Each structure stands twice: as C-alpha cells, then as structure tokens.
Amino acid sequence: MGRLSLRQIALLGCAFTLGSLTVLPATAHADDYTELLDILRAKGSLTRGEYSSLLAHHLRRSHSENSGNQDSSSPRRNRYRRYNPTQYDGSLEPPDVTTIAASQAARRAAQEAAASARDARSMLAQARTSYDPDSVVRVKPYVAGKGVTVQAGQIEINLSGFINGFYTYNSPGGGRPVAGGISTGSSGFDSSSVRNGLLPGGLILKLNTVQDGIKLGAVFGMYPGLNNADVGALNANSGGSPVGLGTAGVDFRQVYMTAGTDRLGTIKIGRDIALFASDAILNDATLLSVGSTGSNTNPANTSLGRIGVGYVYTDWLPQITYISPKWHGLQGSLGIMTPLDQFNFAGNGLSATTTQHSSPMVQGKVTYDTTIAGFTTRFWTSFLTQHVQNLTSSTLGTDSRKGATVAAGDVGVKLSRGPFEGVAYYYYGNGLGTTGLLFDGISQNGRKRNSEGYYVQASYKILPRLKLVGSYGVSNLYQAAGEDNPSLVRRNESEVGALYYTLTDWMFLVGEYAHTESAAHGPNRESDHTMSAGAMITF
C-alpha cells in the first residue's frame, strides 16, 4: 500500500465525516488524490476555489514523483467517460478537470435559466393582474384624409384638418349693378388677392367612446381664414378688411355632441351643418377651389364657390337632430333648428325682414345609397320649413304683425364609376330666397317670392393623378305677386372649369377658371372672369 500524505489523510477524514465515501481503494496511486478531490467537489464538500487549488498542487507533485516511473506502453486513462459521483464504485477513472468545469458551468446555467423563467412567469402573472386597459395609449393606422387617431383607453381621439390658399385674379366684364347679384362685373377694376377658396382652413377635434352600450361623441370644429376679418352682419363671412394691422377671422362652426346606438340611431345636439342642401355643397367640386369670388378686393373668410349659382347655402345651425340607422342603404334625418330672420340682402328696402320666432325651423333629409349598372349611386332629398313673424318693410311699416311660412325642398343624385363622377341637383323654395337661407325671400309687400336653381357637374380622371372638372349652375329668384322691382336680381349663373392634380396623399394642386353673371328683372346685367391657382393640404 502506498503512503498517504498528511493532506490526503486530512481530506479522507473530511470525506468520512461527511459520509461521502463508503469504500476506499486498496491501493493509493497519484490519481487517487485527484479521484478523491473530484468526489468531494461533486458532493459539494469543496468550493470551486479550494478544489482548483488542491488539484493544481497535487498534479504538480504527482508529475514530479512519477515522471520517471511511468510505463509508456500502459494504456492511457480515459478521462472523458461519463462520470457520476453518486454512482462511484471505485472502478471508473475520474474525468478530466476541464470536463468537470464545463459540466458544472452547464448545471449552473440551467439553474439560472430556470430561476429567470420563474421570475418571468411571476412578473407576467403580476402584469396580467395589474393590467388596466384604460391606461393604454396607442395610435391607429393612418388613413390619408381621415386625420390622426389615438386610442387612449376607452376614448378615441381624432384630429383632422385642411389648409388652402389661392392666388386669385378677378377681371370685371362690365355691366350695371344688380341688387342681390353675386357678380363683380360692375366694379370696373381688376383685383388680385391671396385668399381662401370656398373652404377656409379647418382644424377638427373628434372624441368618441362607448359607455353603458351607448356611443358618445363630441366634436369641435374651428375654421380660420387667411384674410383680415371685418365682422359685419354675416360675421366671419362678411367682407374682409385689407388694411394693415388686421387679423384673420376664426369661424367656430362646429361644436356638438352625439349619443346613440347602431340599432336605435343617433341624437345630435349642438351646432353643425344643416340638413337642407347639405349634400349639394358637399358634392360641389368648387368646395375644393374658389368658384365665384363674391368679393376679391376685400376677401371674406371664404369665396362663394357655387353658392347662389346652383344652390342656397345650407349653413351651420344650432340644432337637435335625430339620425336613423342605415337600412339597406336608406337613412333619414330630422331636426329642429334655431330659426333665422328674413334678411334684406339686396338692400335699398327691396325685401322685408323679420325678428320674431315662436317656433323652430324644421329640416329633414333622406339618402339612399345603391349600385345601378355598375355606378355607385347616391340619391338624396331634403326639406326645410319655418314660420316667420313680425314682417317689417318700408311698405308694411314697423308695427306689422304679418307672418309667413317658408318652405323648400330639393333632390339630387351622384354617380361614380371608375374615373368618372357626375352630380345633378335641383331645389325649389317658397319664401326661401336665394344665395343664403331666407335672403330676399319675402317682398316689400309681405308676399313670398319663389326661387329655384340647379347645377350639373362632371369630372373625369384623364390621368391617374390628374382630374378635369366642369360644372354649370343657375339660381333664379322670382318676384312676388304685385311686385315690380327691376333692379332686383332675377338670375345668378356660372360656368366653372378646373384641373386638380394630386401631388401626394396630403396635397393637391388646383388651377381654375370661373365665369359668373348676374341679371336683374330689369335691363341691368353684369359679369366677371376669375382665374385661380393654388393648393390644399388635407390630413
């Protein structure tokens, strides 16, 4: 039996004390010490540092003692056999030091990975428990022209808008003034301006949510103009003020709330676009350009477009309106709205006015969307009625209690197929007037004037990004029974041709020509020519 060093005896004692060994080898060789160290390390009796230090010391000593006694023909020990200290029976050769270290590192990595997985599962469970959907904010995919939409918990926030600007040159064609006419032909002076078109600028904020199964919404629409404001009877739509130190006008047209369900429909309360003639202006191509200027030397917040030359301006009115669900393409709306005064737009005492209202204005609209012979088609019809009281004029006097009931209706159709789009529209009114709601609708003698008008429009994409548009429209105002006012407008009409070029999803460019003519019931006539070029961004 070989002799054991004092260090070997001490380690063997430790091994017996810990119950690590039950059988000792009969013969002690140099490798016995290595084998013992491996067993003690595997059982955890030695730290990594202690194991490495003792092993290095022993190997150096063993090498010096056995360097001359090794039999070169003896078989090499296999230090890469699988070694399990718990199954040690003294017959296996101990593994290489590198193999043991790699095995231990792998076990530690596995243990750390398992601990990390447990921590991750715990954190995930905690996150699921504490998750609050109302605290999550995300941005919905952007759709060109539909604004930026953010979902903040249960609230959907949409911000959209547009900005336009045009260089407009107006050349009067001559003639004599027409009371209530919209042509500038009799002004006698050419004019230039940088201005808005039929639309001002716009910034619209919409908020929507669902509470207790009810869809709720709130809308704020601000429409600032480019030119200096000079607030008059038409507020931001009055003629501007081309004088230094001026400021632009802000037209807060929209402020309303909605509440409803898909099954029962929606109630709207607040200020928004009215129902009568709304589809006429929303389908008018000059909505995106200038059309008739109305005035170009002192531009208002907007131009006229085709207002007064094909339809009466729908206006933005305080209202309580019910909007039905859509059923097979059919949808109806009915609203009560703040009544309006009869207004003497023609001036010179040619029309009666009112200031009293005991009942609201009532408006309604029905739309029907369908497909006919491959054409995407929308039909619409709308009506308006209002009782006006306390009619006043130079003929009636100021103490008159005379009243009248205004009524109007319209019909329209829009057809779209491929690159083609067409619109046809007609309206008729009794006491409705022309250009604006209740403008010159009742004569000096208190009798209602009839009015009617129409426009036709066609557009065609001659290139993928280039669209050609042409339209023609007329608004007629007839005299009341027993009336003879030769200076009063009888007819406003215009022809418009335009090119629209889509530069990007946001921006398009516009070049337009418009000819506007006004004719009175007498011999007076006037006309003008307008050229406009500009751009609009919508987002």
Side-chain angles (χ1 to χ4, degrees):
M1 177 180 296
R3 295 180 60 186
L4 296 176
S5 67
L6 292 175
R7 187 178 298 275
Q8 287 175 313
I9 295 171
L11 289 171
L12 286 172
C14 291
F16 278 110
T17 303
L18 295 171
S20 302
L21 297 175
T22 56
V23 179
L24 290 176
T27 304
H29 302 285
D31 277 344
D32 289 346
Y33 190 6
T34 302
E35 191 174 295
L36 179 60
L37 288 177
D38 291 341
I39 296 172
L40 293 174
R41 178 70 181 96
K43 288 184 139 323
S45 300
L46 293 177
T47 66
R48 182 185 302 178
E50 292 172 336
Y51 171 83
S52 299
S53 177
L54 290 172
L55 182 62
H57 176 78
H58 175 64
L59 290 176
R60 285 195 302 271
R61 182 173 180 180
S62 298
H63 177 74
S64 62
E65 290 179 353
N66 301 323
S67 59
N69 300 325
Q70 281 189 338
D71 182 0
S72 60
S73 63
S74 62
R76 298 185 63 182
R77 298 175 182 269
N78 183 2
R79 293 186 176 274
Y80 298 96
R81 294 176 62 189
R82 184 174 181 85
Y83 175 65
N84 187 343
T86 60
Q87 299 176 350
Y88 175 73
D89 60 2
S91 63
L92 294 175
E93 293 292 339
D96 186 82
V97 174
T98 305
T99 304
I100 295 175
S103 175
Q104 291 171 346
R107 284 197 298 271
R108 286 194 302 273
Q111 292 170 352
E112 291 172 358
S116 298
R118 287 194 298 272
D119 291 342
R121 285 193 295 270
S122 176
M123 293 175 64
L124 180 60
Q126 184 178 1
R128 287 174 175 172
T129 302
S130 60
Y131 170 70
D132 181 8
D134 292 341
S135 66
V136 176
V137 176
R138 64 181 184 272
V139 179
K140 292 191 172 182
Y142 175 74
V143 178
K146 300 297 184 181
V148 179
T149 302
V150 176
Q151 187 75 37
Q154 297 181 358
I155 301 175
E156 183 180 274
I157 304 169
N158 176 266
L159 186 65
S160 63
F162 46 85
I163 300 171
N164 69 72
F166 298 89
Y167 168 70
T168 298
Y169 178 79
N170 180 258
S171 178
R176 302 180 65 181
V178 175
I182 63 172
S183 172
T184 63
S186 61
S187 65
F189 293 96
D190 294 348
S191 62
S192 291
S193 68
V194 176
R195 60 174 302 159
N196 286 116
L198 178 50
L199 284 175
L203 185 63
I204 303 102
L205 174 65
K206 298 179 181 179
L207 299 96
N208 293 284
T209 188
V210 178
Q211 297 181 1
D212 296 331
I214 301 173
K215 293 182 178 180
L216 302 175
V219 176
F220 300 89
M222 180 178 65
Y223 297 82
L226 295 181
N227 297 95
N228 293 349
D230 186 11
V231 178
L234 306 181
N235 298 295
N237 292 319
S238 296
S241 174
V243 178
L245 299 182
T247 58
V250 177
D251 183 353
F252 226 119
R253 299 183 184 184
Q254 288 176 297
V255 51
Y256 67 87
M257 58 182 174
T258 58
T261 66
D262 292 336
R263 187 172 65 88
L264 298 178
T266 301
I267 293 291
K268 177 195 299 181
I269 302 175
R271 183 185 182 96
D272 193 23
I273 194 168
L275 300 175
F276 175 74
S278 59
D279 279 64
I281 191 171
L282 293 177
N283 290 297
D284 176 13
T286 66
L287 187 68
L288 305 178
S289 58
V290 177
S292 299
T293 64
S295 171
N296 200 50
T297 56
N298 56 334
N301 209 34
T302 72
S303 66
L304 285 176
R306 191 161 283 294
I307 296 171
V309 280
Y311 55 83
V312 174
Y313 184 46
T314 181
D315 227 315
W316 304 72
L317 301 177
Q319 59 188 274
I320 301 175
T321 297
Y322 169 73
I323 306 166
S324 76
K326 185 172 285 188
W327 182 74
H328 296 291
L330 189 67
Q331 188 172 42
S333 303
L334 183 66
I336 57 172
M337 305 181 186
T338 292
L340 298 175
D341 289 346
Q342 282 284 344
F343 181 65
N344 181 19
F345 183 66
N348 298 321
L350 294 178
S351 301
T353 61
T354 60
T355 57
Q356 298 295 320
H357 318 100
S358 61
S359 57
M361 178 186 292
V362 179
Q363 295 191 23
K365 182 174 73 171
V366 175
T367 61
Y368 179 60
D369 297 309
T370 187
T371 300
I372 300 176
F375 285 87
T376 301
T377 306
R378 162 168 278 205
F379 296 98
W380 73 86
T381 182
S382 62
F383 75 89
L384 172 156
T385 183
Q386 179 192 318
H387 185 66
V388 295
Q389 298 169 285
N390 196 28
L391 287 167
T392 303
S393 71
S394 57
T395 301
L396 296 171
T398 58
D399 295 327
S400 172
R401 299 299 177 184
K402 184 176 178 62
T405 299
V406 174
D410 68 1
V411 292
V413 60
K414 178 180 179 180
L415 303 169
S416 303
R417 182 177 180 179
F420 171 80
E421 182 177 280
V423 179
Y425 172 79
Y426 172 81
Y427 76 90
Y428 181 85
N430 180 237
L432 175 71
T434 189
T435 306
L437 295 177
L438 280 61
F439 279 24
D440 299 321
I442 297 180
S443 67
Q444 293 170 303
N445 59 18
R447 295 182 177 180
K448 295 182 287 185
R449 295 174 176 140
N450 294 329
S451 58
E452 65 174 347
Y454 64 89
Y455 79 88
V456 290
Q457 172 183 292
S459 68
Y460 192 85
K461 284 188 176 180
I462 54 180
L463 293 172
R465 294 191 176 200
L466 185 63
K467 181 169 66 174
L468 174 64
V469 178
S471 67
Y472 172 77
V474 172
S475 288
N476 293 314
L477 180 67
Y478 303 108
Q479 294 192 91
E483 182 182 14
D484 183 15
N485 282 315
S487 63
L488 179 69
V489 63
R490 176 181 63 84
R491 185 180 182 89
N492 287 315
E493 63 181 314
S494 73
E495 306 91 36
V496 177
L499 285 171
Y500 297 79
Y501 181 76
T502 301
L503 189 64
T504 71
D505 284 344
W506 276 34
M507 174 176 275
F508 61 89
L509 310 178
V510 181
E512 182 189 67
Y513 166 77
H515 172 251
T516 305
E517 185 172 345
S518 298
H521 285 273
N524 290 7
R525 302 176 70 89
E526 57 181 333
S527 65
D528 65 83
H529 308 271
T530 303
M531 283 70 70
S532 300
M536 176 178 284
I537 275 182
T538 61
F539 65 91

